[in-house]
Every structure is written in structure tokens, then in C-alpha cells.
Amino acid sequence: MTRVAVLGAKGYTALEVIKILLRHPGVEICATVDLEESNRIDAVHPSLCGRFSLPIENLTPQEVAERAECVFSCLPHAASATVIPKILAGGAKVVDFSADYRLNSPEVFKKWYEIDHPDATRLGNVPYGMPELFREQIIPAPLVANPGCYPTTAILPLTPLLRAKLIEPDDIILDAKSGISGAGRKLNFNTHYPECNESISAYSVGKHRHLPEINQYLSLAAGVSMEVIFTPHLTPMDRGILTTAYVRPTQSISQAELLDALRDFYQNEPFVQIVEHLPATKDVAMTNCCHITARVVGGRVMTIAVIDNLIKGASGSAVQNFNLMFGYDETLALL
């Protein structure tokens, strides 16, 4: 059994990772930790009543590392990087849900998060937790940077096409729509029910913090530096993301050829399905799957990808990474 702790236990992603780990035969959840909460976990998350009832504790990083072999850090950006070095020094491995270790440059991090990185020397040396692309780096890693939810729906469909040079890297437009849970559990005026119900709105246009993450990993796939146009939208549903990418092909190409290229790339990946139909967020709700399709319209290539933002976009991919790091079957507790 692998002893696991969850930091930031009162949030949505913490709840989802706990629910997944409760059905994992190789895991014992030995601690739930939150600096702002001192209650039982099933009081904070009533859906756990009768299933899981550990107290939420205020433990130091050293105490967490003494108790757990792996830590799922669901802490906010910048907060994770202040405690993770101490947890790693204590001998525990970490899957980090924040953006603290996703970017390779301290300067880029400071530009987008407006603070100096608390653990800057590690940047560029932490595997990006997208097993479909970086499995070999994840397996031996003591620390993995779990991907953002929006980036997952951009990087998975476009990487195969960029690597094969089927699309141009200098003209990519991303139109993304997310459920309200993507904003987290903390109270916010824009996610207040009367504000967001029966309404859809764009937000953070040109300045969303997932943009540098998308640019970084698409640039890696293309082999050239690139910048995309990314417009996220808030939609009145609990969970799910649908992202449509509009790109220019490098040559005349059919829909069948696009789908074949995607299928060839992901043929051995259990959580990526290339589909003929137009996918919907309900198709992947409560799963760790990403459904992708492609179309050719008006001389443009379009890709459409859907995920559950709390599962494949966060907690499910975190358990997928955990399984690789600790030698379990990658699909354990996820299928």
C-alpha cells in the first residue's frame, strides 16, 4: 500500500482525487491537510459521508512527508512552491496541481503571476504531467507538474498535427468553454449563481494564466517559438471543457487523413479517443477521457476536444501520474 496525503483538502480537485483514490486498491489516504479548515473531511465534503471521515489537519510540510509517500498538492499557485521543497526533502514524492512548476522560465512565471518564484531553481527540470506525451520523464520523477485543464484540450489535439507538420504553427486560434467548477470553490462574484446562470461570457481575453503554458508546450511540439490566440469562456454548467482550435493546414488534407494522423499518434493511449462525431462534454463527464475530432472547413483545419475539467483536467490526470510514479497500472482506479 502507498500512503498518500492530500493538501488543500477543502477544494473541488481535492474532493475528486479523494473519490478516485478511495477505489484505488494500492492506496491508503493517511492525511488530509488544509491551513484554513479544521473539520472532518466529510463535513467539508458531504458526499464523502459514510465513505471517508479523516480529520482535516494543519500539518507542517515535514510532518506530511513523515506520514506520506506521495502528496497530492491542491494548493493555490505560489503556495505549492513554498511547501513542496520541504516535502521533497523529507523523502515524499509530489504531484502538484498548481501552475508553480509547469513553466520553464522564472521570468515568464513572474510576468504572469506577478511574484518571484519561491523555488525557481527547479523550473525547467520538472516533468509535465501529461503521460500521453511525457510518460518516460514522469515514471522516475519525484515531482510532477500536473497540467492545466484548458491546456489539456489544446495540447493533446494539436501536438500530433504540429509534430507531423500538418498545420502551421503561426496562426492558431483557440476558443474554449469551461464549466463553473474551473474557477474553484472560493466565492467569487462572477461565479455567483445569479451572475453566471443562463449566461455565457468570455473572460481573461489575452491574459489567461494558462496561455504561457499552452504556448510553451505547443512550441515544443512545433520545434519553433509560437503564440496562440486563446479566448476562454465561462458556461453555465458544473463541469466540462470544450475547446475548438482553428488552424491553417500546411498542405491539402482531408478530414479522414487528419483523423488517421490523430489515431496513429494515440493508438495505444487508454484515455484519448479519436471520434468521428462532434463530441460533447457529457460524453466524458466523470471520466479521465479526452475525446477529439477534426474537421476541414473553408480551407481551415478545426480540432474539437472535450474533457471533464475536474478529472482529466486535474484529479484524474494526477492519479494517472501517480500510478506511473509508483509502478501501478496506469489505468488503475480510472477505468
Side-chain angles (χ1 to χ4, degrees), residues 289-311:
C289 294
C290 177
H291 287 188
I292 299 170
T293 196
R295 296 290 187 271
V296 180
V297 180
R300 285 258 181 181
V301 167
M302 296 169 55
T303 64
I304 301 172
V306 295
I307 62 169
D308 185 313
N309 60 296
L310 295 177
I311 308 295

Side-chain angles (χ1 to χ4, degrees), residues 174-213:
L174 301 173
D175 180 288
K177 298 172 176 65
S178 174
I180 306 299
S181 60
R185 198 176 186 187
K186 193 171 184 179
L187 296 178
N188 182 296
F189 175 79
N190 291 329
T191 58
H192 186 45
Y193 181 81
E195 301 299 325
C196 62
N197 184 49
E198 298 188 23
S199 178
I200 182 169
S201 59
Y203 68 101
S204 298
V205 177
K207 57 183 182 180
H208 195 284
R209 287 174 170 177
H210 282 172
L211 182 55
E213 182 182 342

Side-chain angles (χ1 to χ4, degrees), residues 157 160-162 164-167 249-266 274-276 292-296 301-303:
L161 306 183
L162 287 167
K165 302 192 183 306
L166 296 176
I167 59 173
T250 57
Q251 60 197 40
S252 178
I253 192 167
S254 69
Q255 176 179 317
E257 290 169 325
L258 285 169
L259 292 174
D260 284 345
L262 291 166
R263 286 193 188 99
D264 288 346
F265 193 92
Y266 290 119
I274 310 305
V275 299
E276 296 276 352
I292 299 170
T293 196
R295 296 290 187 271
V296 180
V301 167
M302 296 169 55
T303 64

Side-chain angles (χ1 to χ4, degrees), residues 56-67:
I56 297 176
E57 301 177 83
N58 186 349
L59 302 177
T60 67
Q62 293 85 352
E63 289 170 330
V64 172
E66 288 172 3
R67 196 178 297 186

Side-chain angles (χ1 to χ4, degrees), residues 16 25 42 48 52 54-55 85 217 220 245 266 280 286:
E16 295 297 334
D42 55 345
L48 296 176
F52 186 62
L54 275 185
Y217 288 100
L220 180 64
Y266 290 119
M286 308 294 184

Side-chain angles (χ1 to χ4, degrees), residues 62-300:
Q62 293 85 352
E63 289 170 330
V64 172
E66 288 172 3
R67 196 178 297 186
E69 299 166 81
C70 184
V71 176
F72 290 86
S73 179
C74 305
L75 297 174
H77 309 313
S80 265
T82 62
V83 302
I84 282 175
K86 299 171 185 176
I87 292 171
L88 294 172
K93 295 184 178 184
V94 180
V95 180
D96 181 33
F97 284 55
S98 81
D100 284 0
Y101 295 96
R102 296 175 191 160
L103 301 177
N104 292 337
S105 164
E107 292 76 24
V108 173
F109 182 89
K110 184 173 183 178
K111 174 184 175 181
W112 287 87
Y113 291 90
E114 300 178 337
I115 59 168
D116 291 319
H117 196 283
D119 189 24
T121 58
R122 279 196 172 86
L123 294 190
N125 299 306
V126 178
Y128 191 56
M130 192 172 283
E132 293 81 5
L133 303 180
F134 302 104
R135 185 173 285 107
E136 296 308 311
Q137 295 97 312
I138 292 167
I139 290 170
L143 169 62
V144 169
N146 216 49
C149 51
Y150 280 127
T152 298
T153 58
I155 295 167
L156 284 176
L158 294 180
T159 289
L161 306 183
L162 287 167
R163 287 190 184 179
K165 302 192 183 306
L166 296 176
I167 59 173
E168 299 286 358
D170 61 350
D171 184 10
I172 296 178
I173 299 170
L174 301 173
D175 180 288
K177 298 172 176 65
S178 174
I180 306 299
S181 60
R185 198 176 186 187
K186 193 171 184 179
L187 296 178
N188 182 296
F189 175 79
N190 291 329
T191 58
H192 186 45
Y193 181 81
E195 301 299 325
C196 62
N197 184 49
E198 298 188 23
S199 178
I200 182 169
S201 59
Y203 68 101
S204 298
V205 177
K207 57 183 182 180
H208 195 284
R209 287 174 170 177
H210 282 172
L211 182 55
E213 182 182 342
I214 293 169
N215 285 334
Q216 177 175 289
Y217 288 100
L218 290 184
S219 295
L220 180 64
V224 296
S225 179
M226 54 183 285
E227 295 185 6
V228 305
I229 295 173
F230 170 52
T231 304
H233 300 78
L234 196 64
T235 61
M237 58 184 184
D238 289 344
R239 56 205 301 156
I241 288 179
L242 185 150
T243 296
T244 304
Y246 302 87
V247 299
R248 287 188 297 114
T250 57
Q251 60 197 40
S252 178
I253 192 167
S254 69
Q255 176 179 317
E257 290 169 325
L258 285 169
L259 292 174
D260 284 345
L262 291 166
R263 286 193 188 99
D264 288 346
F265 193 92
Y266 290 119
Q267 61 182 317
N268 297 317
E269 296 300 334
F271 298 114
V272 179
Q273 287 82 40
I274 310 305
V275 299
E276 296 276 352
H277 61 272
L278 296 174
T281 55
K282 279 192 175 181
D283 300 342
V284 295
M286 308 294 184
T287 79
N288 195 50
C289 294
C290 177
H291 287 188
I292 299 170
T293 196
R295 296 290 187 271
V296 180
V297 180
R300 285 258 181 181

